Amino acid sequence: MFIQFSILFLLFTTPFTSLIKAKQDNTNFVRSLDLKELNLENKQEKLSHLKFYWHDIVSGNNPSSIPIVPPPLKNSTTAFGLVNMIENPLTLGPQLSSKLVGKAQGFYASTSQSEVDLIMAMNFAIIEGKYNGSTITILGRNPVSDKVREMPIIGGSGLFRFARGYAQLRTHWFSSKTNDAIVEYNIYVLHY
Ligand SMILES: *[C@@H]1O[C@H](CO)[C@@H](O)[C@H](O)[C@H]1NC(C)=O
Ligand SMILES: *[C@@H]1O[C@H](CO)[C@@H](O)[C@H](O)[C@H]1NC(C)=O
């Protein structure tokens, strides 16, 4: 009786345990870990506010924003399909000559056929103060004629590891002659 039971037990449990084992083997590149292992056990997530001005310089001999894909439809009123690669200065004040605190590196593209909406993918590389060397990554929708636009902060590096939050944009100045723009950025970000 006992032997029969054991055989039955083995018969039923062996395939089951090997199934579990196979599952573990398939996922052994993932493990859970303790906050201690990243020295985060005593750290509180904190909220920071960053404010600076973003300069989109498309005119002149030294542009920071360069069209790399021209709008494919010549009659598009929204430049649908246009892609600009940027390394735009981030300054403390609205003047380009004010203190440079970082660079916005990335690209934006025109994604609407009915109004000027941009998709923006940017890394804000901070070069000043305590956050020098840390980055914040933004990916969002920018309907440029809205008074206030909001884009998600989707991550960060260095002191901005685990970053999440949002950026609010307000056009500070725009020249319809050159298409150069200065935009105020207020960033609200949770990080450790
Ligand atoms: C743009 O041009 C294309 C091809 O010539 C035409 O089919 C389309 O209706 C035009 N669009 C507008 C907004 O004029
Ligand atoms: C920022 O970090 C870089 C690289 O470590 C360094 O060369 C530079 O002097 C730093 N800038 C400031 C303002 O501390």
Side-chain angles (χ1 to χ4, degrees):
M1 177 66 192
F2 177 74
I3 289 171
Q4 267 177 2
F5 181 78
S6 308
I7 289 170
L8 261 175
F9 184 78
L10 271 174
L11 265 175
F12 280 100
T13 54
T14 310
F16 188 61
T17 49
S18 58
L19 203 74
I20 289 175
K21 195 159 188 301
K23 203 166 176 205
Q24 280 171 346
D25 286 346
N26 281 339
T27 57
N28 68 4
F29 62 96
V30 182
R31 69 186 177 102
S32 56
L33 75 171
D34 198 90
L35 286 173
K36 260 187 222 142
E37 290 182 66
L38 296 181
N39 296 320
L40 292 176
E41 77 273 27
N42 296 319
K43 289 210 171 174
Q44 283 282 329
E45 200 174 25
K46 55 182 170 283
L47 181 61
S48 298
H49 172 206
L50 295 81
K51 180 182 170 181
F52 36 61
Y53 293 83
W54 177 96
H55 300 261
D56 198 46
I57 307 161
V58 293
S59 69
N61 294 328
N62 202 8
S64 66
S65 176
I66 298 167
I68 53 165
V69 179
L73 305 173
K74 296 298 165 234
N75 60 357
S76 169
T77 55
T78 61
F80 184 58
L82 166 83
V83 181
N84 266 44
M85 189 63 64
I86 64 167
E87 190 184 33
N88 284 353
L90 302 171
T91 60
L92 211 52
Q95 304 303 326
L96 187 55
S97 57
S98 74
K99 194 171 186 59
L100 184 71
V101 295
K103 302 267 182 74
Q105 298 172 331
F107 51 87
Y108 59 76
S110 173
T111 55
S112 169
Q113 309 219 46
S114 56
E115 57 176 47
V116 182
D117 291 347
L118 306 176
I119 179 167
M120 309 194 64
M122 300 183 287
N123 294 314
F124 281 7
I126 308 297
I127 59 167
E128 192 47 55
K130 170 182 168 189
Y131 292 99
N132 184 14
S134 297
T135 68
I136 287 175
T137 300
I138 290 185
L139 179 67
R141 172 175 180 263
N142 181 4
V144 298
S145 57
D146 286 10
K147 195 167 166 24
V148 184
R149 292 89 76 187
E150 186 173 313
M151 303 197 294
I153 306 298
I154 60 166
S157 72
L159 293 174
F160 293 114
R161 283 174 181 172
F162 293 112
R164 59 205 166 91
Y166 62 95
Q168 282 186 332
L169 292 62
R170 287 173 183 83
T171 302
H172 176 78
W173 175 84
F174 174 71
S175 163
S176 53
K177 211 156 99 190
T178 63
N179 283 333
D180 289 348
I182 302 172
V183 180
E184 181 188 317
Y185 271 73
N186 282 280
I187 292 176
Y188 302 91
V189 62
L190 284 166
H191 61 103
Y192 283 94

